[in-house]
Every structure is written in structure tokens, then in C-alpha cells.
Amino acid sequence: ASAASFTPERKLRILERVLAADRFENFLGTRFLGQKRFSLEGAETAIAILDALLDRAADGDAHEVVMGMAHRGRLAILTHTVGKPFSQVFSEFEGHPDPDSTQGSGDVKYHLGATGVHRAPSGREVMISMAPNPSHLEAVNPVVEGIVRAKQTRLGDTERRRLVPVLLHGDAAFAGQGIVQETLQLSQLYGYRTGGTIHLVINNQIGFTTTPDASRSSVYCTDIARMVQAPIFHVNGDDPEACIRALEVAFDFRQQFKKDVVIDMICYRRHGHNETDDPSYTQPQMYRKINERKPVAVLYADRLIRESAVTPEQLERLRKKVTLRLEEGFDEAKQFPVKFEVQELGWVEPAAGSVPSRTAVDRATLDKVVDTLTNLPDGFHLHPKLKGFVDGRKMALDAGTVDWALGEALAFGTLVGEGISVRLSGQDSGRGTFSHRHLALIDTETGDRFRPLKLLAAPPATFGVYDSSLSEYAVMGFEFGYSVGDPRTLVLWEGQFGDFVNGAQIMIDQFISVSQQKWGQPSSLVLLLPHGYEGQGPEHSSARIERFLTLCAEDNMYVCNVTTPAQYFHMLRRQMVGGTRKPLIVFTPKSLLRAKRAVSHADDFTQGTFREVIGETSAVAADRVTRVLICSGKVYYDLLAAREERKANHLAIIRLEQMYPFPEKELRDHILRYPDAADVVWVQEEPLNMGGWRVLSDFIQPLLESTRRMIRYIGRPESASPATGSYKTHAKEQADILDAAFSADRIAPVKKVRVVKRRAKSEKALQ
């Protein structure tokens, strides 16, 4: 149909859509008086717009439309657009959520997602998915883009026509939230484009209680989209036909030109921010006009009656039909518990191949990966400084000098060879912040990019490494969405430095750490966060271990700080072959990337698996040990070197490679190898109020109860800043930690009270 063709049948369908939304909101308002629902009243035309969009998508051979939106109008769209049963929504209002919808804490009803199938009048069908989201406005935008990109890759949708992202926004949030700009910026980037997004702004001209003149500096709320030259249609929400004309042009533009397009639907909000709010406190004049205005369902019905497109009798039958469906859903909800099918948003392989169960691989497989990494195409001009890097890899397995970057490359290469895709992104991730990775080599003469590991990928697996925009928030959200959209891909996001993760804290708090518990939405996303105290100042030392540990509960994610390339290899492979999908937080090294002792042998990759705890590896007589040092990460090598220098063979060192889920049994077994009289000490580089101490000490202490020992602490004193800005001070603090660890003096336990006074500079880092 052309954009201007509105047959009587189509007009009746549009009327049914806006009337259904109107009756649904009124039904909720009368049956569940006083409950928050963030209604669509004043913007019911959005339902007709989405209905037309899905019709056009189905008729255009689209496979799926993936939607993201905030809470305004979500319940109406879940039921009328996605197809969530009324009975399920009503059960949630009654306090009876679907018992099978989530295994954790769940979420409020206007944050949940759903999937369904839309059938167009032509009989063609298209899948429709609504991604769940938190109350952090617009945060779901990059998540949806990541889900779509993943599904496009799996479907082989290279033209990006069959998977279509749709985002719904509020006017104040579209103008005010920086994540909107970050996501728009991704829209045309090589590693992140999805073929354009259709944006529908439900412009009710007010943000909570803030009017447009106080919430933006631009004329239109949509002006931010001009940065990517997106067409913007400003339409009247009380004219459904005009809105649908705009939608049809917008959809066709997206399909043809693969760019974002925006529909700014000017409407209003009949109630306050929620149904318990009185908006007349702050907008009395506006709400006098709104109270006098007829709903769009009434305005459009009157228009069709004037046009003789519908009779009053037809209108009454339609109203009764809509009301009957609502009443039936309400009655069904009373028969709780009701079983509802819950579908995951991830891509489902029609015939998934076998997944390997071992993290170790044979030597021939390792050799194949190394050969691929080091045999460059004929005529390729390698950067002169990288010749030694490439040549060193050729002999690393035999020489036992596999470093961190090669261990990582071996993990990636073996996974893609087994049919498991790998996607790594972040700022400068191809080369690596510390020039250690070089998974993408650039021809110095032609500028051509060569990614050796792509040659190993067994279809349908792919390998991709992408340098991202200078963004943490949106890019991490995109990668989270990608990990949700394709469970068969190892998805990794790397911070340039670990503290850069601060810019994406919302994604960590609201999605990564809790998506399984809130929405039943598993993710295996890996965060690579360079961490370690090496005198680089407060901004490039700490990836904030303490923040991640305080988010840990219910086995929701892995938190690891490993010490060898082989451990890193097994850990990455475990993420895809371990059978449990959960996020992995890795505190990666900086100085250890090239440390001579931080290397692994070929046997470390062909045997064994990931070890959550590594016990003493030197010739230390267990019965002569007087102190057991427990540590994690880079500080292990500092302790090892200091022990050798001081010949302190009465001290044993245990490495906690996985901080969470806490390996209680493994650590207990290692501690029990030593005399009951031996001190047990936690050693860390971070200040007392940071790092692992305050969380892990509560895990370790119960392991010592049988011997009535107290876990002791060695590390920096409590500090507001993560690290000093003076290298000289840093070196002194690091030396104090080692002195305390090897001191013959008995270490006093840390009192379980908050330290409020700053310690004297001369005092050692010993509590």
C-alpha cells in the first residue's frame, strides 16, 4: 500500500488499535485503583504506529523487530503490540507474578520484557521482542542495538533488513540523557551498525514535572539526532493517519538507506508522572486544557463517523469486543497460578553443534593457532617493531614463554576453531592499550588490516576485534546486548584502564550484575579491566575490585584476578564450555604483560583446567611454615620475589585466582596443609577500604574457626583516593607492604570498626 492509502478496513483497524489502548488503560485505572502503571493515555496513537510498523516489517520479509523503551506506556505495548496475555499483566497487578518467568528477585511489571509474533492483515508474520530494562532512562538503547547486531550476524543478514531495532523515548529523556548521543554515534560505526534504528519519541511535553524550557537548550527534543543527519518527522499524536504516513516513510527510508530515522509524536500525558501524582501542582494551566480534551480514541471515532467510514453501531460493537477481551483476561488471572511461556531474547540455533566440554586442548591445535598468528600473507608489510613480537610467538610454546597476550590469542583461536564466535571491543582493543595484543595487523604500505584469527573460524563462527568510539556506557551496553542476543559468542569488552569502567557503572549495576535475577536474562559478557598498583596515580591503578565484590550474590557473576597466561586461557574457554552463563569480571595485568616470570608452558594449556585457587608452587616445607599469605593478582609476583630475596622459606603463598563465587573448599584445603599455629594473612596492594579485603575476609574467617585464628590484613591504610599520585610515595608504600608481609612481628587483627582518622604518613601499611 502507498503511504496515502487508507481504506475503510484500514481505518477501522487503526480505530481498533487506539480504542484498545484507551480501554486497556481505563480498565487498569478502575480495577487497580492507585497502582502505578505509567499509562499511555494521551499517546494512544503509539499503538497504531507500532501496529503499522510491524505490518510493514512483516510484508517486507523482516524476521524480527527488537524493541526497547522506558516505562511510559509499556504495559499497553506489551499487551497490544507484543502480545503478552492480559491475564498475565493482571496477575502481576494482583501480586501474582508468573512463577516461571524468573528464578531470582524479579522486577516490577513495567520493566519486564516479552516476545511474541505479529500477524499482518496480509497473513505474513514477524517476530517481536521487547527487551527488559531498569528505570535508568534510555539505558536500554545500546542493549537493543547489541541484541540486533548479534542476531543479524547469526541470521546472515548482511543487508541488515531482516532484523530491525525500534526504540521508544520520552521527549525529556531523549534530549537529556547522554546515552542517546553515545548510541546515535555508534549507528554508522563498522563494528556496531545495525542498519539504522527507528526512533519513536512519545513527546508529552513534560519530564516528570519539568517543562521543555527547563529541560533542553534546543528547539526540538529531537535535535540531537541531527548529528547523524537522521530525518525527523514531527507529527500530531491526535491525528493517527498522519502519524502512520510518517511511519511508513520512516520505515522505508530505514530499509533503503540503512540510517536512523526519528518520529517525534507531539502528544500529552493525561495523568501525572504516575497515577498517584497530581500534575496540577506544577502545570495547572496545561492540565486544565488536558482535562477538557477528548482522548484520541474519541476524536478519531468521531472523525470516522463524520467520514461515514464507520457507523455508531460498529463503534459500539468494537467497544464491547475490546471490553470483553479485558474482562476475560481479568477472570483468567483469578485462576492463578497460570502457566505462561517465557522466551529468551537470545538467538536460538535451529541445530546447534556439539559444544566442547574441556578447556584444555591438544598440542596440534595450539600449533595451528600459532602458525596462523605468525604466517603473514605474501607481500604483507609488517611494522618493523613487530617483527620480534611475531618471531617470538613462533617459539613460545617450545620455550615455555607463552605470555598473557599469546595465552589470550590461543583461547580465541581454539574457540573459533570449535565453532564458537569471539567478539572483542573497546578503545584501542585491537592493538591493546599497552601495545601487547596486536590481533589486527596493519600493512605499513597499504593500510590494509589483517586479522589472522579470522582464518581459523569454523562456520558459522566469526572472529571480530573492534576499536570502539570513546565511550564506556553505550559500548558496554551494546556488548551486553550482543552477549544476550547470541549465547554462542564469547563477547568481551575491555577498558583502556580498569577505572574507565566507572563511566559504565549504570550498565554494571542495572544489567550485568542482575539481569538473570531480575529478568531471567542470562549473559556471559566478559569485562577485561587492567588493574594493578604500579605508580601510575589514582586514575590508572584500580578497577575497583571492591565495587564488583559488593555486587556479588546468588552466584550472579565470576570475579577473577588470575596470575598466569594459562589460567587466563582456561578461564576464557570455561566461559563458553562450562555450561553456566554468567558475566565474568577479569582484573587484567599491566606490568605482568611482559614480566619474565608471568609466562606459561605448553603443558599448561594441554592439561588441566582453570584453578580457582593455586597453592604453594615452590619447595616450601609445609610443617615449617609460620605464616600463610593469601593474595590475588599481580602482588603475588612481588611477594614471590621478596621471599626469594629474603630466603623466607617459612612463608607459604596461596593465590586466590577466583574471588567470586568464593572457592571455599579449595581454599580451606590449601590452608589446612599448614600448622594450626601459622598466621593466616590477606595481602593486597589496595587500601584497606578497597580491594578484596572487606568482602573476602568474611569468607575466609569461617575457614579458620576450628583453629581459633583470625585472618590478618596487610595492605595500604584506608584512603579516599585509590592511589597516590607520587611514584616515590607509591614505591615506599609497596615496600612497606612487603616488609610487613615478611616481618617476624606478629600481625595485629583489623578491628571491625570504621577507621575515621587518616594514618600518619610514616606509619607502615600494617593493621
Side-chain angles (χ1 to χ4, degrees):
S2 69
S5 65
F6 286 92
T7 63
E9 293 79 14
R10 193 173 189 201
K11 292 185 177 188
L12 189 62
R13 181 180 173 95
I14 295 170
L15 176 61
E16 190 277 332
R17 293 283 81 195
V18 294
L19 182 62
D22 177 82
R23 293 294 85 200
F24 173 75
E25 296 290 5
N26 277 275
F27 190 87
L28 291 179
T30 55
R31 295 301 177 98
F32 305 103
L33 195 63
Q35 289 203 44
K36 292 181 183 180
R37 53 191 166 92
F38 297 98
S39 79
L40 194 62
E41 290 168 271
E44 293 92 339
T45 298
I47 297 295
I49 292 174
L50 294 174
D51 188 66
L53 186 155
L54 294 173
D55 287 348
R56 213 158 185 85
D59 292 340
D61 197 32
H63 174 78
E64 182 177 358
V65 171
V66 182
M67 294 175 57
M69 65 177 296
H71 41 276
R72 175 76 51 208
R74 188 183 190 88
L75 297 179
I77 291 172
L78 280 171
T79 50
H80 294 90
T81 303
V82 183
K84 184 174 182 176
F86 291 128
S87 54
Q88 186 172 358
V89 173
F90 298 153
S91 290
E92 291 163 357
F93 269 98
E94 294 283 10
H96 301 305
D98 173 13
D100 297 327
S101 65
T102 180
Q103 299 299 313
S105 57
D107 202 351
V108 293
K109 46 194 167 290
Y110 40 81
H111 287 171
L112 302 177
T115 60
V117 176
H118 175 87
R119 174 170 290 182
S122 64
R124 305 288 295 272
E125 292 183 343
V126 63
M127 288 182 61
I128 172 71
S129 303
M130 172 75 78
N133 67 278
S135 281
H136 285 68
L137 296 176
E138 309 291 342
V140 77
N141 296 0
V143 175
V144 166
E145 303 295 343
I147 290 172
V148 169
R149 174 73 178 224
K151 291 186 174 186
Q152 287 174 341
T153 301
R154 276 288 169 188
L155 189 65
D157 182 18
T158 55
E159 295 186 359
R160 310 198 186 284
R161 294 176 56 87
R162 303 198 62 210
L163 269 297
V164 181
V166 176
L167 295 175
L168 279 71
H169 315 268
D171 53 315
F174 195 75
Q177 294 291 312
I179 191 68
V180 174
Q181 179 270 335
E182 290 191 30
T183 306
L184 286 169
Q185 194 65 264
L186 296 178
S187 66
Q188 294 298 311
L189 301 186
Y190 171 71
Y192 307 89
R193 56 188 175 219
T194 55
T197 299
I198 297 173
H199 301 267
L200 173 59
V201 179
I202 299 177
N203 188 344
N204 55 39
Q205 306 170 73
I206 189 170
F208 193 47
T209 67
T210 305
T211 52
D213 60 341
S215 67
R216 65 175 182 263
S217 296
S218 57
V219 175
Y220 294 104
C221 67
T222 53
D223 282 348
I224 185 67
R226 296 170 66 182
M227 62 178 276
V228 293
Q229 293 81 49
I232 302 169
F233 298 89
H234 304 283
V235 292
N236 179 3
D238 277 353
D239 187 346
E241 291 181 17
C243 291
I244 289 172
R245 289 191 193 101
L247 176 279
E248 291 179 340
V249 175
F251 185 87
D252 292 349
F253 175 89
R254 186 267 173 196
Q255 293 295 80
Q256 178 67 36
F257 297 106
K258 309 297 186 294
K259 294 193 67 175
D260 286 43
V261 60
V262 180
I263 300 171
D264 177 22
M265 187 183 77
I266 314 296
C267 54
Y268 60 91
R269 194 173 69 199
R270 186 161 292 278
H271 303 292
H273 178 66
N274 60 60
E275 288 65 37
T276 64
D277 179 46
D278 185 350
S280 66
Y281 292 141
T282 48
Q283 280 81 29
Q285 294 172 305
M286 176 188 288
Y287 274 88
R288 273 197 297 271
K289 293 181 179 179
I290 288 174
N291 291 335
E292 295 169 358
R293 188 164 186 82
K294 294 180 180 179
V296 64
V298 175
L299 294 174
Y300 190 57
D302 291 346
R303 172 180 166 180
L304 295 190
I305 289 174
R306 290 195 305 270
E307 295 176 356
S308 299
V310 65
T311 66
E313 292 76 20
Q314 284 179 304
L315 176 61
E316 185 59 28
R317 286 197 297 271
L318 189 57
R319 284 175 175 158
K320 288 182 178 179
K321 179 182 176 182
V322 169
T323 302
L324 179 61
R325 289 206 306 264
L326 293 169
E327 294 286 359
E328 289 174 346
F330 187 73
D331 291 339
E332 185 181 348
K334 294 178 180 178
Q335 309 304 315
F336 191 82
V338 182
K339 296 293 184 183
F340 300 106
E341 182 180 359
V342 178
Q343 293 178 285
E344 191 182 320
L345 290 182
W347 179 265
V348 179
E349 284 284 2
S354 60
V355 177
S357 58
R358 296 175 64 248
T359 60
V361 299
D362 59 57
R363 177 60 189 265
T365 301
L366 296 177
D367 288 336
K368 182 179 179 181
V369 175
V370 171
D371 288 344
T372 304
L373 289 168
T374 56
N375 289 321
L376 306 182
D378 292 340
F380 187 88
H381 303 92
L382 182 67
H383 195 288
K385 290 185 178 180
L386 289 179
K387 185 178 186 306
F389 174 85
V390 172
D391 290 344
R393 287 186 158 184
K394 294 178 180 179
M395 60 187 73
L397 286 170
D398 289 328
T401 57
V402 177
D403 61 11
W404 190 271
L406 182 53
E408 177 186 74
L410 291 173
F412 293 166
T414 55
L415 284 171
V416 296
E418 293 165 355
I420 298 173
S421 296
V422 174
R423 175 187 169 90
L424 169 65
S425 85
Q427 296 148 20
D428 311 302
S429 59
R431 187 193 72 176
T433 297
F434 310 101
S435 295
H436 68 286
R437 180 175 285 130
H438 298 290
L439 289 177
L441 299 172
I442 313 299
D443 189 303
T444 58
E445 299 296 326
T446 66
D448 292 341
R449 189 178 298 266
F450 174 54
R451 300 180 184 88
L453 293 181
K454 293 183 71 172
L455 304 176
L456 290 169
T462 60
F463 174 80
V465 53
Y466 305 104
D467 292 341
S468 73
S469 64
L470 193 60
S471 156
E472 292 82 40
Y473 189 5
V475 174
M476 187 187 293
F478 187 100
E479 303 307 337
F480 169 81
Y482 200 106
S483 73
V484 168
D486 186 1
R488 289 294 301 274
T489 294
L490 174 66
V491 184
L492 310 98
W493 177 85
E494 182 174 60
Q496 198 172 66
F497 284 90
D499 60 282
F500 281 33
V501 80
N502 293 345
Q505 197 65 48
I506 289 172
M507 286 299 170
I508 296 164
D509 291 349
Q510 305 299 329
F511 287 92
I512 293 172
S513 65
V514 288
S515 64
Q516 177 72 58
Q517 283 65 33
K518 290 197 298 187
W519 308 313
Q521 184 181 58
S523 165
S524 54
L525 176 66
V526 180
L527 302 187
L528 304 178
L529 310 177
H531 174 93
Y533 281 58
E534 287 141 333
Q536 296 193 53
E539 307 308 328
H540 295 325
S541 295
S542 176
R544 296 293 190 173
I545 290 173
E546 65 280 357
R547 290 184 186 169
F548 288 98
L549 289 179
T550 57
L551 293 173
C552 289
E554 303 178 275
D555 290 342
N556 59 332
M557 54 186 176
Y558 295 112
V559 177
C560 298
N561 193 9
V562 301
T563 54
T564 74
Q567 279 282 88
Y568 184 41
F569 168 89
H570 289 294
M571 179 183 61
L572 291 179
R573 286 183 52 80
R574 180 186 70 168
Q575 193 67 0
M576 298 309 295
V577 306
T580 301
R581 292 182 63 200
K582 64 180 69 175
L584 167 63
I585 316 302
V586 187
F587 301 104
T588 58
K590 294 178 292 185
S591 63
L592 295 188
L593 294 174
R594 295 177 175 85
K596 292 183 178 180
R597 302 193 72 156
V599 295
S600 297
H601 295 76
D603 291 348
D604 299 325
F605 301 93
T606 59
Q607 300 173 13
T609 186
F610 177 70
R611 292 184 287 171
E612 297 171 353
V613 179
I614 299 179
E616 181 57 69
T617 57
S618 300
V620 173
D623 58 346
R624 297 183 181 179
V625 168
T626 60
R627 181 174 296 169
V628 179
L629 305 178
I630 305 174
C631 65
S632 190
K634 169 231 166 195
V635 74
Y636 163 73
Y637 290 97
D638 295 333
L639 293 170
L640 185 63
R643 184 176 66 179
E644 292 174 353
E645 180 184 345
R646 303 174 193 221
K647 297 182 173 54
N649 291 328
H650 59 288
L651 274 73
I653 306 175
I654 298 174
R655 284 173 272 175
L656 189 62
E657 301 281 286
Q658 178 173 295
M659 294 179 165
Y660 192 85
F662 183 70
E664 178 182 343
K665 180 182 181 301
E666 292 82 353
L667 184 57
R668 177 190 287 113
D669 289 345
H670 283 286
I671 292 174
L672 291 179
R673 295 177 184 178
Y674 304 106
D676 289 349
D679 276 346
V680 178
V681 182
W682 172 260
V683 184
Q684 66 178 35
E685 298 181 298
E686 301 82 13
L688 174 68
N689 55 314
M690 302 178 192
W693 165 252
R694 286 192 169 163
V695 171
L696 296 178
S697 59
D698 286 340
F699 286 135
I700 298 172
Q701 183 56 47
L703 307 183
L704 308 178
E705 292 300 327
S706 62
T707 59
R708 298 188 178 182
R709 286 177 289 180
M710 291 289 293
I711 180 70
R712 320 286 174 154
Y713 169 85
I714 293 175
R716 284 172 169 79
E718 193 174 59
S719 173
S721 177
T724 177
S726 163
Y727 184 81
K728 185 176 181 180
T729 303
H730 158 78
K732 174 63 165 60
E733 291 175 348
Q734 206 76 358
D736 286 347
I737 291 173
L738 298 177
D739 287 344
F742 293 95
S743 169
D745 298 334
R746 185 162 179 81
I747 302 168
V750 176
K751 294 180 180 178
K752 290 290 183 178
V753 296
R754 179 167 172 76
V755 179
V756 295
K757 290 185 178 180
R758 184 76 181 181
R759 301 189 182 280
K761 291 184 179 179
S762 60
E763 185 175 350
K764 288 186 177 181
L766 171 61
Q767 303 292 314

